[in-house]
Amino acid sequence: MAESGDPAPFGAYEIRRRRDGLTIGGAGFHGPADAAGVVTVGYGLVPAARGHGYAAEALRALLGHARAHGASGVAGDADRENTASHRVMAAAGMRLVGEDERLRYYAVTWAGAAEAASS
């Protein structure tokens, strides 16, 4: 990535509505996996696209992508007041792992994911 500028496989992606191809948001990774093999995700939709399940669908796709590319887990966070984002992460299979005065932290891990990718 440092040499080519290509963040693949852990880069940013557009969220496009399947029925018409309209870009309705973005989702992706905040960079390569850390030393433990965990990647951090983020996502956002235009206001008109919220509440239709698009974010959860996109996040599930990111989780599958991360796992398929050897990540041992995925982390994400949202402001404490952002209950919609909390629901999105829970619906995608992430679990609440902590919180502080500002954020709630979610994660999902896969046993043996890093070992499977290196074999």
Side-chain angles (χ1 to χ4, degrees), residues 7-20:
F10 300 121
Y13 301 90
E14 291 181 338
I15 300 173
R16 291 180 177 258
R17 197 166 45 203
R18 196 173 283 119
R19 70 179 163 164
D20 58 11

Side-chain angles (χ1 to χ4, degrees), residues 24-87:
I24 57 172
F29 303 94
H30 292 239
D34 65 15
V38 175
V39 291
T40 303
V41 293
Y43 50 86
L45 295 173
V46 298
R50 295 177 186 159
H52 300 283
Y54 299 131
E57 182 179 352
L59 182 54
R60 281 191 293 273
L62 286 178
L63 297 179
H65 182 78
R67 188 171 189 180
H69 286 87
S72 62
V74 175
D77 60 64
D79 289 337
R80 290 178 61 89
E81 299 79 26
N82 191 346
T83 56
S85 194
H86 303 163
R87 286 191 299 267

Side-chain angles (χ1 to χ4, degrees), residues 36-37 63 66-74 108-119:
L63 297 179
R67 188 171 189 180
H69 286 87
S72 62
V74 175
V108 63
T109 57
W110 305 286
E115 295 84 12
S118 62
S119 26

